[in-house]
């Protein structure tokens, strides 16, 4: 904060000095120099701390170059002001403009490129060694500062940190693939659940089910098309609102479960006990979100909710990367298998699993071939075909069961069913695509 305030003060007083004449110009210029000196002091503390934070070697050389660019460029500004037309007039306007442009490029564009390059090298260090840091104490301008230094995997004092936030980023995965293409050894797995199959690019998926929690039906067809392009059939069950999503998860649990729940970012805003994510976690359900973007409020919202994964997009002009979707489905299916394997080791969980399998088999024997079950949020879907390998049977019946609150919920479900039936009929008349795949 001190660095930011002093930097703003330096700029404000410099601009004010350029707009005034007489002795006031030099008073404001002197004030700008005082604020600039304070900026230099606090910037030095930041560079020293940053130097001892980044991995040793090349990364520290980049920090030094960034410091050189910063101090060289920002020293040029007051000198050019003093000698240029704004000050003593010892330099032509043309020469002052050229040199000021050079200082701008050095302090902004070159400095920014070095900063981006530094971040790339830090990510490469994490891909090779993992996010391992060592806490050290150092003296910076007479103050004792605690610094977390990135260290190699063989450092005995290093503490491993989770890479889950990075592992869900497509850019991070692409960086790992590019490093492997160059013959650089990277970590065999990442903390977000991506195993060796993902690192080799071999991401097998099985038939399964995904519940899509959305505030309206506008995104359902899009996700249904995207899932239809995967190598294995994935059933998409849309859920409107929090209550309907919870009901579908509970019904799916009685019939074998689902791979995960993919939620709209709007449902992530409420983290109270009444929020969707909290309720799904209480049911032991895996939760992912779509709508992640590299910049903006959606990124912070999604990354701060402790989700099992997320998808980048869809957003204006861009869709969902098919490879990322395939990786996410495969990872969620692996997590589901791991959870089921852990539950089978528990006798109580094993009994519950056997009960779910019995209910699933009983339901399949009771359904006549070709019988249609109606889901007011999914349309009419056939249940006559045998269940897909690795997937639970389609959820039968009305997704809104009778509620103790009375006829209000039943009437609401009936109206919703009628509305969806009308939408399906209109789709059939207009394009013949009303029947869900």
């Amino acid at each position: 904060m001190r660095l930011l305030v002093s930097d703003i003060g330096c700029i404000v007083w410099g601009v004010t000095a350029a707009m005034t004449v007489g002795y006031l110009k030099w008073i404001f210029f002197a004030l700008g120099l005082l604020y600039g000196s304070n900026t230099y002091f606090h910037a030095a503390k930041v560079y020293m701390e940053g130097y001892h934070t980044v991995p040793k070697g090349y990364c520290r050389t980049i920090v030094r170059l960034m410091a050189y660019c910063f101090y060289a460029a920002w020293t040029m500004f007051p000198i050019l002001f003093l000698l240029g037309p704004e000050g003593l007039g010892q330099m032509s306007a043309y020469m002052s403009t050229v040199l000021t442009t050079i200082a701008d490029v050095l302090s902004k564009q070159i400095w920014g490129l070095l900063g981006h390059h530094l971040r790339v090298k830090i990510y490469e260090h994490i891909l090779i060694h993992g996010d391992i840091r060592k806490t050290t104490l150092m003296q910076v301008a007479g103050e004792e500062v605690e610094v977390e230094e990135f260290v190699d995997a063989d450092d005995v004092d290093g503490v491993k940190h989770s890479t889950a936030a990075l592992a869900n980023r497509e850019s991070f995965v692409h960086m790992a693939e590019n490093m492997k293409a160059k013959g650089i050894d990277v970590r065999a797995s990442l903390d977000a659940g991506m195993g060796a199959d993902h690192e080799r690019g071999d991401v097998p998926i099985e038939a399964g089910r995904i519940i899509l929690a959305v505030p309206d039906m506008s995104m359902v067809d899009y996700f249904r098309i995207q899932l239809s392009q995967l190598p294995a059939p994935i059933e998409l069950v849309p859920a409107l609102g929090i209550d309907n999503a919870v009901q579908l998860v509970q019904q799916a649990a009685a019939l074998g479960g689902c791979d995960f729940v993919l939620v709209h970012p709007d449902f992530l805003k409420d983290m109270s006990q009444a929020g969707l994510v909290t309720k799904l976690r209480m049911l032991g359900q895996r939760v992912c979100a779509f709508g992640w973007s590299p910049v903006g409020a959606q990124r912070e919202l999604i990354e701060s909710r402790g989700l099992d994964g997320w998808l980048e997009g869809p957003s204006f002009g861009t869709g969902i990367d098919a490879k990322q979707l395939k990786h996410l489905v495969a990872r969620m299916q692996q997590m589901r298998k791991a959870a089921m394997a852990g539950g089978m080791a528990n006798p109580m969980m094993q009994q519950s699993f056997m009960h779910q399998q019995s209910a699933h088999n009983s339901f399949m024997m009771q359904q006549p071939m070709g019988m249609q079950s109606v889901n007011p949020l999914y349309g009419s879907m056939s249940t006559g075909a045998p269940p897909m390998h690795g997937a639970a049977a389609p959820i039968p019946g009305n997704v809104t069961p009778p509620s103790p609150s009375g006829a209000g919920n039943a009437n609401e479900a009936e109206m919703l069913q009628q509305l969806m039936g009308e939408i399906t009929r209109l789709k059939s008349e207009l394009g013949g695509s009303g029947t869900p795949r």
Side-chain angles (χ1 to χ4, degrees):
M1 180 58 72
R2 293 180 180 178
L3 177 61
L4 179 62
V5 171
S6 61
D7 191 30
I8 293 175
C10 176
I11 296 174
V12 169
W13 291 123
V15 173
T16 305
M19 298 175 64
T20 55
V21 296
Y23 69 93
L24 287 177
K25 174 187 291 290
W26 303 111
I27 292 177
F28 292 137
F29 180 74
L31 290 173
L33 289 179
L34 290 176
Y35 273 85
S37 300
N38 191 53
T39 300
Y40 278 20
F41 173 74
H42 289 292
K45 294 173 63 176
V46 172
Y47 282 117
M48 291 176 64
E49 184 176 344
Y51 180 83
H52 292 280
T53 299
V54 301
K56 294 180 180 179
Y58 184 67
C59 289
R60 295 193 174 183
T61 301
I62 299 176
V63 173
R64 285 200 298 266
L65 290 175
M66 294 179 67
Y68 295 156
C69 286
F70 175 83
Y71 285 107
W74 282 90
T75 301
M76 290 176 63
F77 290 124
I79 295 176
L80 293 175
F81 180 93
L82 186 64
L83 299 178
E86 303 90 350
L88 299 176
Q90 300 299 312
M91 184 184 299
S92 66
Y94 177 78
M95 182 61 67
S96 176
T97 301
V98 171
L99 294 178
T100 302
T101 302
I102 293 175
D104 276 332
V105 172
L106 191 63
S107 64
K108 297 177 178 65
Q109 281 77 22
I110 302 299
W111 189 91
L113 287 174
L114 288 172
H116 173 73
H117 186 55
L118 175 62
R119 179 166 61 175
V120 170
K121 291 302 177 182
I122 292 175
Y123 283 174
E124 290 181 355
H125 174 89
I126 294 175
L127 283 168
I128 297 173
H129 303 282
D131 189 356
I132 304 175
R133 309 178 202 176
K134 179 177 65 176
T135 302
T136 58
L137 296 176
M138 58 176 296
Q139 292 289 331
V140 178
E143 298 181 5
E144 191 176 66
V145 180
E146 187 178 271
V147 178
E148 285 191 334
E149 175 188 356
F150 285 95
V151 295
D152 297 341
D154 55 356
D155 195 303
V156 295
D157 297 327
V159 178
K160 182 179 178 181
H161 292 73
S162 174
T163 58
L166 295 175
N168 286 284
R169 299 182 184 179
E170 189 68 16
S171 59
F172 195 70
V173 176
H174 287 165
M175 185 182 297
E177 294 173 349
N178 292 334
M179 292 175 64
K180 288 186 295 182
K182 297 177 181 178
I184 303 175
D185 293 332
V186 299
R187 295 181 62 201
S189 62
L190 298 174
D191 295 343
M194 288 186 253
D197 289 338
H198 176 87
E199 295 297 329
R200 292 194 304 266
D202 180 18
V203 188
I205 63 174
E206 301 176 352
R209 173 187 291 132
I210 297 175
I211 295 178
L212 178 66
V214 288
D216 54 65
M217 300 293 290
S218 59
M219 300 295 296
V220 175
D221 287 340
Y222 173 79
F223 277 101
R224 188 172 293 155
I225 294 174
Q226 298 301 314
L227 292 173
S228 67
Q229 299 173 1
L230 296 179
I234 303 294
E235 178 190 6
L236 181 68
V237 182
L240 282 180
I242 296 177
D243 293 337
N244 188 227
V246 173
Q247 291 170 0
L248 282 172
V249 169
Q250 292 173 340
Q251 291 185 12
L255 300 173
C258 66
D259 294 328
F260 65 99
V261 178
L262 185 62
V263 303
H264 191 282
D266 288 349
F267 293 127
L268 304 179
K269 298 177 181 178
D270 185 3
M271 291 304 294
S272 65
Q273 295 294 325
L276 177 59
V277 176
T278 304
K279 290 184 176 181
L280 294 177
R281 290 300 190 193
M282 293 175 64
L283 295 173
Q285 182 61 54
R286 292 156 298 283
V287 185
C288 300
F290 64 88
W292 183 91
S293 60
V295 294
Q298 295 286 55
R299 172 178 177 175
E300 181 179 358
L301 174 65
I302 293 176
E303 292 184 1
S304 63
R305 291 304 184 252
L307 304 176
D308 297 302
W310 54 76
L311 289 172
E312 182 173 355
S315 59
F316 295 105
T318 59
I320 291 177
D321 184 82
K323 186 176 181 181
Q324 185 187 21
L325 177 61
K326 180 180 177 182
H327 288 165
L328 181 64
V329 173
R331 190 163 73 249
M332 293 301 105
Q333 290 183 347
Q334 291 174 2
M335 293 177 62
R336 181 186 179 189
K337 290 179 181 178
M340 292 176 64
M344 293 300 291
N346 187 328
M348 294 299 293
M349 292 295 293
Q350 184 175 4
Q351 182 178 1
S352 175
F353 177 76
M354 295 290 291
H355 174 73
Q356 292 181 7
Q357 289 295 104
S358 176
H360 166 65
N361 296 334
S362 175
F363 166 75
M364 291 304 301
M365 288 187 296
Q366 293 174 7
Q367 292 290 337
M369 294 296 293
M371 179 178 178
Q372 302 289 324
S373 66
V374 179
N375 184 333
L377 298 180
Y378 192 45
S380 176
M381 56 185 178
S382 175
T383 59
M388 298 174 293
H389 175 68
I395 302 175
N398 194 329
V399 298
T400 308
S403 172
S405 58
N409 291 337
N411 293 334
E412 181 180 354
E414 183 179 356
M415 293 175 60
L416 184 58
Q417 182 176 356
Q418 294 175 357
L419 176 62
M420 292 306 304
E422 185 67 19
I423 292 175
T424 302
R425 184 184 65 79
L426 291 174
K427 281 186 177 181
S428 301
E429 293 178 356
L430 294 176
S433 58
T435 304
R437 292 185 295 270

